[in-house]
mmCIF file of all heavy atoms in Angstrom:
data_model
loop_
_atom_site.group_PDB
_atom_site.id
_atom_site.type_symbol
_atom_site.label_atom_id
_atom_site.label_comp_id
_atom_site.label_asym_id
_atom_site.label_seq_id
_atom_site.Cartn_x
_atom_site.Cartn_y
_atom_site.Cartn_z
ATOM 1 N N THR A 1 2.166 5.811 5.205
ATOM 2 C CA THR A 1 2.428 5.851 6.643
ATOM 3 C C THR A 1 1.294 5.153 7.384
ATOM 4 O O THR A 1 0.198 4.950 6.851
ATOM 5 C CB THR A 1 2.561 7.302 7.147
ATOM 6 O OG1 THR A 1 1.359 8.026 6.841
ATOM 7 C CG2 THR A 1 3.740 7.998 6.488
ATOM 8 N N ALA A 2 1.542 4.805 8.652
ATOM 9 C CA ALA A 2 0.512 4.193 9.484
ATOM 10 C C ALA A 2 -0.617 5.203 9.719
ATOM 11 O O ALA A 2 -0.367 6.417 9.754
ATOM 12 C CB ALA A 2 1.125 3.766 10.811
ATOM 13 N N PRO A 3 -1.856 4.726 9.875
ATOM 14 C CA PRO A 3 -2.260 3.319 9.977
ATOM 15 C C PRO A 3 -2.526 2.622 8.638
ATOM 16 O O PRO A 3 -2.779 1.413 8.635
ATOM 17 C CB PRO A 3 -3.552 3.414 10.776
ATOM 18 C CG PRO A 3 -4.165 4.704 10.309
ATOM 19 C CD PRO A 3 -2.991 5.643 10.146
ATOM 20 N N LEU A 4 -2.492 3.349 7.521
ATOM 21 C CA LEU A 4 -2.791 2.709 6.240
ATOM 22 C C LEU A 4 -1.662 1.796 5.793
ATOM 23 O O LEU A 4 -1.901 0.741 5.200
ATOM 24 C CB LEU A 4 -3.079 3.768 5.173
ATOM 25 C CG LEU A 4 -4.282 4.678 5.450
ATOM 26 C CD1 LEU A 4 -4.483 5.667 4.300
ATOM 27 C CD2 LEU A 4 -5.552 3.865 5.677
ATOM 28 N N ALA A 5 -0.421 2.186 6.038
ATOM 29 C CA ALA A 5 0.731 1.354 5.671
ATOM 30 C C ALA A 5 1.150 0.494 6.857
ATOM 31 O O ALA A 5 1.096 0.938 8.005
ATOM 32 C CB ALA A 5 1.890 2.229 5.217
ATOM 33 N N SER A 6 1.564 -0.720 6.554
ATOM 34 C CA SER A 6 2.005 -1.663 7.591
ATOM 35 C C SER A 6 3.407 -2.166 7.277
ATOM 36 O O SER A 6 3.765 -2.368 6.110
ATOM 37 C CB SER A 6 1.048 -2.852 7.660
ATOM 38 O OG SER A 6 1.558 -3.876 8.484
ATOM 39 N N THR A 7 4.197 -2.393 8.315
ATOM 40 C CA THR A 7 5.551 -2.935 8.145
ATOM 41 C C THR A 7 5.714 -4.288 8.827
ATOM 42 O O THR A 7 6.831 -4.731 9.069
ATOM 43 C CB THR A 7 6.597 -1.950 8.704
ATOM 44 O OG1 THR A 7 6.350 -1.747 10.104
ATOM 45 C CG2 THR A 7 6.521 -0.615 7.984
ATOM 46 N N ARG A 8 4.606 -4.968 9.097
ATOM 47 C CA ARG A 8 4.678 -6.279 9.766
ATOM 48 C C ARG A 8 4.900 -7.387 8.727
ATOM 49 O O ARG A 8 4.155 -8.357 8.652
ATOM 50 C CB ARG A 8 3.407 -6.518 10.575
ATOM 51 C CG ARG A 8 3.266 -5.562 11.750
ATOM 52 C CD ARG A 8 2.080 -5.913 12.620
ATOM 53 N NE ARG A 8 0.821 -5.696 11.927
ATOM 54 C CZ ARG A 8 -0.363 -6.034 12.436
ATOM 55 N NH1 ARG A 8 -0.440 -6.635 13.611
ATOM 56 N NH2 ARG A 8 -1.474 -5.792 11.758
ATOM 57 N N TYR A 9 5.957 -7.241 7.960
ATOM 58 C CA TYR A 9 6.223 -8.189 6.878
ATOM 59 C C TYR A 9 6.474 -9.602 7.411
ATOM 60 O O TYR A 9 6.043 -10.579 6.794
ATOM 61 C CB TYR A 9 7.424 -7.722 6.062
ATOM 62 C CG TYR A 9 7.229 -6.353 5.451
ATOM 63 C CD1 TYR A 9 7.941 -5.247 5.922
ATOM 64 C CD2 TYR A 9 6.331 -6.159 4.416
ATOM 65 C CE1 TYR A 9 7.760 -3.994 5.368
ATOM 66 C CE2 TYR A 9 6.141 -4.903 3.860
ATOM 67 C CZ TYR A 9 6.859 -3.825 4.346
ATOM 68 O OH TYR A 9 6.664 -2.586 3.800
ATOM 69 N N SER A 10 7.155 -9.714 8.533
ATOM 70 C CA SER A 10 7.488 -11.027 9.075
ATOM 71 C C SER A 10 6.241 -11.776 9.544
ATOM 72 O O SER A 10 6.273 -12.993 9.709
ATOM 73 C CB SER A 10 8.474 -10.893 10.236
ATOM 74 O OG SER A 10 7.905 -10.159 11.302
ATOM 75 N N ARG A 11 5.137 -11.072 9.736
ATOM 76 C CA ARG A 11 3.880 -11.699 10.151
ATOM 77 C C ARG A 11 2.902 -11.840 8.989
ATOM 78 O O ARG A 11 1.734 -12.167 9.178
ATOM 79 C CB ARG A 11 3.237 -10.891 11.283
ATOM 80 C CG ARG A 11 4.092 -10.817 12.549
ATOM 81 C CD ARG A 11 3.307 -10.222 13.685
ATOM 82 N NE ARG A 11 2.162 -11.061 14.038
ATOM 83 C CZ ARG A 11 1.158 -10.665 14.835
ATOM 84 N NH1 ARG A 11 1.170 -9.436 15.336
ATOM 85 N NH2 ARG A 11 0.160 -11.475 15.107
ATOM 86 N N GLY A 12 3.398 -11.603 7.762
ATOM 87 C CA GLY A 12 2.569 -11.800 6.586
ATOM 88 C C GLY A 12 1.626 -10.662 6.287
ATOM 89 O O GLY A 12 0.678 -10.820 5.506
ATOM 90 N N PHE A 13 1.865 -9.481 6.884
ATOM 91 C CA PHE A 13 0.949 -8.353 6.680
ATOM 92 C C PHE A 13 1.764 -7.078 6.615
ATOM 93 O O PHE A 13 1.969 -6.387 7.602
ATOM 94 C CB PHE A 13 -0.068 -8.282 7.819
ATOM 95 C CG PHE A 13 -1.065 -7.160 7.673
ATOM 96 C CD1 PHE A 13 -2.032 -7.195 6.688
ATOM 97 C CD2 PHE A 13 -1.037 -6.079 8.529
ATOM 98 C CE1 PHE A 13 -2.954 -6.167 6.558
ATOM 99 C CE2 PHE A 13 -1.955 -5.040 8.409
ATOM 100 C CZ PHE A 13 -2.914 -5.089 7.428
ATOM 101 N N GLY A 14 2.254 -6.749 5.414
ATOM 102 C CA GLY A 14 3.004 -5.527 5.213
ATOM 103 C C GLY A 14 2.646 -4.928 3.863
ATOM 104 O O GLY A 14 2.200 -5.631 2.958
ATOM 105 N N THR A 15 2.842 -3.632 3.727
ATOM 106 C CA THR A 15 2.519 -2.958 2.480
ATOM 107 C C THR A 15 3.621 -3.224 1.457
ATOM 108 O O THR A 15 4.758 -2.786 1.631
ATOM 109 C CB THR A 15 2.341 -1.450 2.711
ATOM 110 O OG1 THR A 15 1.272 -1.259 3.647
ATOM 111 C CG2 THR A 15 2.003 -0.732 1.416
ATOM 112 N N VAL A 16 3.278 -3.928 0.397
ATOM 113 C CA VAL A 16 4.240 -4.322 -0.634
ATOM 114 C C VAL A 16 4.439 -3.187 -1.633
ATOM 115 O O VAL A 16 5.555 -2.938 -2.087
ATOM 116 C CB VAL A 16 3.772 -5.601 -1.345
ATOM 117 C CG1 VAL A 16 4.772 -6.026 -2.410
ATOM 118 C CG2 VAL A 16 3.558 -6.720 -0.335
ATOM 119 N N TYR A 17 3.365 -2.506 -1.986
ATOM 120 C CA TYR A 17 3.460 -1.354 -2.886
ATOM 121 C C TYR A 17 2.208 -0.505 -2.718
ATOM 122 O O TYR A 17 1.174 -0.964 -2.221
ATOM 123 C CB TYR A 17 3.610 -1.788 -4.352
ATOM 124 C CG TYR A 17 2.432 -2.551 -4.916
ATOM 125 C CD1 TYR A 17 1.300 -1.883 -5.418
ATOM 126 C CD2 TYR A 17 2.428 -3.946 -4.966
ATOM 127 C CE1 TYR A 17 0.213 -2.579 -5.929
ATOM 128 C CE2 TYR A 17 1.347 -4.647 -5.479
ATOM 129 C CZ TYR A 17 0.243 -3.960 -5.956
ATOM 130 O OH TYR A 17 -0.834 -4.650 -6.461
ATOM 131 N N THR A 18 2.314 0.739 -3.133
ATOM 132 C CA THR A 18 1.163 1.634 -3.242
ATOM 133 C C THR A 18 0.991 1.966 -4.713
ATOM 134 O O THR A 18 1.910 2.491 -5.349
ATOM 135 C CB THR A 18 1.384 2.924 -2.432
ATOM 136 O OG1 THR A 18 1.577 2.592 -1.057
ATOM 137 C CG2 THR A 18 0.192 3.865 -2.566
ATOM 138 N N ALA A 19 -0.166 1.631 -5.267
ATOM 139 C CA ALA A 19 -0.445 1.895 -6.679
ATOM 140 C C ALA A 19 -1.424 3.048 -6.796
ATOM 141 O O ALA A 19 -2.362 3.166 -5.994
ATOM 142 C CB ALA A 19 -1.024 0.654 -7.356
ATOM 143 N N ALA A 20 -1.229 3.893 -7.801
ATOM 144 C CA ALA A 20 -2.132 5.009 -8.057
ATOM 145 C C ALA A 20 -2.470 5.044 -9.547
ATOM 146 O O ALA A 20 -1.578 4.955 -10.397
ATOM 147 C CB ALA A 20 -1.504 6.327 -7.622
ATOM 148 N N TYR A 21 -3.755 5.169 -9.836
ATOM 149 C CA TYR A 21 -4.236 5.203 -11.212
ATOM 150 C C TYR A 21 -5.007 6.497 -11.443
ATOM 151 O O TYR A 21 -5.890 6.864 -10.663
ATOM 152 C CB TYR A 21 -5.151 4.004 -11.489
ATOM 153 C CG TYR A 21 -4.443 2.680 -11.385
ATOM 154 C CD1 TYR A 21 -4.391 1.991 -10.170
ATOM 155 C CD2 TYR A 21 -3.816 2.108 -12.490
ATOM 156 C CE1 TYR A 21 -3.739 0.769 -10.065
ATOM 157 C CE2 TYR A 21 -3.162 0.891 -12.400
ATOM 158 C CZ TYR A 21 -3.120 0.230 -11.182
ATOM 159 O OH TYR A 21 -2.475 -0.978 -11.083
ATOM 160 N N ARG A 22 -4.670 7.181 -12.550
ATOM 161 C CA ARG A 22 -5.369 8.390 -12.970
ATOM 162 C C ARG A 22 -6.075 8.077 -14.295
ATOM 163 O O ARG A 22 -5.466 8.174 -15.368
ATOM 164 C CB ARG A 22 -4.377 9.539 -13.164
ATOM 165 C CG ARG A 22 -3.940 10.235 -11.886
ATOM 166 C CD ARG A 22 -5.036 11.155 -11.385
ATOM 167 N NE ARG A 22 -4.550 12.146 -10.421
ATOM 168 C CZ ARG A 22 -5.335 13.067 -9.890
ATOM 169 N NH1 ARG A 22 -6.618 13.133 -10.232
ATOM 170 N NH2 ARG A 22 -4.849 13.930 -9.023
ATOM 171 N N PRO A 23 -7.357 7.695 -14.259
ATOM 172 C CA PRO A 23 -8.042 7.275 -15.494
ATOM 173 C C PRO A 23 -8.104 8.350 -16.565
ATOM 174 O O PRO A 23 -7.958 8.042 -17.754
ATOM 175 C CB PRO A 23 -9.456 6.918 -14.995
ATOM 176 C CG PRO A 23 -9.266 6.551 -13.562
ATOM 177 C CD PRO A 23 -8.186 7.457 -13.059
ATOM 178 N N HIS A 24 -8.325 9.600 -16.177
ATOM 179 C CA HIS A 24 -8.457 10.654 -17.183
ATOM 180 C C HIS A 24 -7.130 10.893 -17.905
ATOM 181 O O HIS A 24 -7.099 11.092 -19.124
ATOM 182 C CB HIS A 24 -8.927 11.952 -16.528
ATOM 183 C CG HIS A 24 -9.248 13.037 -17.508
ATOM 184 N ND1 HIS A 24 -10.363 12.995 -18.322
ATOM 185 C CD2 HIS A 24 -8.591 14.186 -17.837
ATOM 186 C CE1 HIS A 24 -10.386 14.073 -19.088
ATOM 187 N NE2 HIS A 24 -9.324 14.811 -18.820
ATOM 188 N N ALA A 25 -6.028 10.835 -17.167
ATOM 189 C CA ALA A 25 -4.707 11.078 -17.757
ATOM 190 C C ALA A 25 -4.053 9.806 -18.282
ATOM 191 O O ALA A 25 -3.051 9.873 -19.000
ATOM 192 C CB ALA A 25 -3.793 11.732 -16.722
ATOM 193 N N GLY A 26 -4.590 8.627 -17.924
ATOM 194 C CA GLY A 26 -3.980 7.372 -18.345
ATOM 195 C C GLY A 26 -2.632 7.115 -17.702
ATOM 196 O O GLY A 26 -1.762 6.475 -18.295
#
């Protein structure tokens, strides 16, 4: 959600994906 996520895709600035990594659990 905003402000971290952006939907201004037509202006070249939108959130394409959110990735999450858990190193201990792999």
Side-chain angles (χ1 to χ4, degrees):
T1 58
L4 299 181
S6 170
T7 60
R8 293 186 293 174
Y9 301 109
S10 62
R11 298 190 63 193
F13 181 70
T15 300
V16 181
Y17 64 83
T18 300
Y21 296 90
R22 280 284 198 178
H24 187 71

